[in-house]
Amino acid sequence: MVEFTLPKNSKVQPGKAWNPPPQSAEAGRWREYRIYRFDPDKAENPRLDTYWVDMKECGPMVLDGLIWIKNNVDPTLTFRRSCREGVCGSCSMNIGGTNTLACTLHADDAPERISIYPLPHLPVIKDLVPDLTHFYAQHRSIEPWLKTDTPTPQKEWRQSREDRAKLDGLYECILCACCSTACPSYWWNGERYLGPAILLQADRWVEDSRDERTGERLDELEDPFRLYRCHTILNCTKACPKGLNPAAAISSLKRQMVERGE
């Protein structure tokens, strides 16, 4: 039997308990956060530190708890955040075993002990901040902008209501990478497989009636890895915090590949 083991320096070690509440603390007032910590400047394994958040002093979302910890307990804690409205995708992380946005997950909807890790299977820059350089390079590779040959109109590219409706469920993607980093095919083939987030974006431009390079876009995807590593296990659809369906977009691309070859 084959055994797979992690490198010694990648195994998560028990960390520090920072601010345990007093034994006389009011029941239900404090929530336990277990947070992945990693500092690339130190020759140490990553660790899981424990913090307690005073829920009467911070907002209800998991991100509010992280901000409270950074402001009141440990200023070295590092994570991304921006809009706090589920729009920018900056605060995507793995919370309670699920990839999601910290700003839209209510603490009451998380496990009692909230375990927080960076998005899985990506290099970690520090703590909860993954390196998305390759992910964004893949996004650029599909050329996510309108490509036309017709002279640009003076006012706008016109589009019928019916054609505009075809983009619903595609344009809302915020590139948080929750779906791609929940996909086993992307874990093992991420260098060549574009992954569900990027393929959903690719389908958005293939479906756009104003774009005039559909054939060229499909040619770029005609590859054993870029598109066809998807095995439709639907992790991506389950993980999407915006309720989108990347698996359906990938199926649509595959269907169009077949139809144009008939």
Side-chain angles (χ1 to χ4, degrees), residues 150-166:
T150 303
T152 303
Q154 291 185 348
K155 291 187 177 181
E156 61 185 9
W157 292 100
R158 299 183 65 83
Q159 188 174 47
S160 70
R161 292 179 181 271
E162 293 74 19
D163 285 337
R164 167 60 186 80
K166 294 178 182 178

Side-chain angles (χ1 to χ4, degrees), residues 130-149:
D131 187 347
L132 294 169
T133 302
H134 179 64
F135 177 79
Y136 290 134
Q138 288 180 314
H139 183 229
R140 182 176 177 80
S141 75
I142 65 164
E143 299 185 328
W145 51 80
L146 203 63
K147 300 201 298 184
T148 61
D149 298 312

Side-chain angles (χ1 to χ4, degrees), residues 5-73:
T5 59
L6 293 171
K8 290 182 178 180
N9 63 354
S10 69
K11 295 180 180 179
V12 180
Q13 304 294 327
K16 175 181 176 181
W18 281 80
N19 60 325
Q23 293 183 352
S24 59
E26 178 184 344
R29 176 166 179 167
W30 297 82
R31 288 294 299 273
E32 183 177 335
Y33 278 56
R34 296 182 176 181
I35 302 177
Y36 179 96
R37 304 299 308 277
F38 172 69
D39 188 344
D41 295 329
K42 297 180 180 179
E44 299 176 354
N45 281 34
R47 66 185 192 273
L48 204 62
D49 282 4
T50 302
Y51 304 85
W52 283 264
V53 175
D54 186 345
M55 299 306 295
K56 287 194 174 181
E57 290 189 0
C58 77
M61 301 302 181
V62 171
L63 179 61
D64 293 319
L66 291 173
I67 294 172
W68 187 91
I69 292 169
K70 188 173 181 69
N71 290 342
N72 296 280
V73 182

Side-chain angles (χ1 to χ4, degrees), residues 33 50 56 74 76-77 79 81-82 84 91 99 112 129 133 135 162 176 194 196 203 211 229 243 245 262:
Y33 278 56
T50 302
K56 287 194 174 181
D74 180 11
T76 68
L77 178 62
F79 53 90
R81 55 100 172 179
S82 183
R84 301 179 67 174
C91 65
N99 293 350
E112 183 176 353
V129 179
T133 302
F135 177 79
E162 293 74 19
C176 65
L194 292 178
D203 191 44
D211 190 271
R229 286 298 92 187
N245 192 344
E262 293 178 347

Side-chain angles (χ1 to χ4, degrees), residues 167-207:
L167 304 183
D168 289 342
L170 300 173
Y171 79 89
E172 300 96 332
C173 174
I174 58 176
L175 290 173
C176 65
C178 284
C179 64
S180 290
T181 54
C183 172
S185 291
Y186 192 73
W187 298 346
W188 312 132
N189 303 287
E191 291 300 314
R192 296 178 63 184
Y193 174 49
L194 292 178
I198 307 308
L199 290 172
L200 182 142
Q201 291 282 332
D203 191 44
R204 177 257 178 274
W205 294 102
V206 167
E207 294 289 350

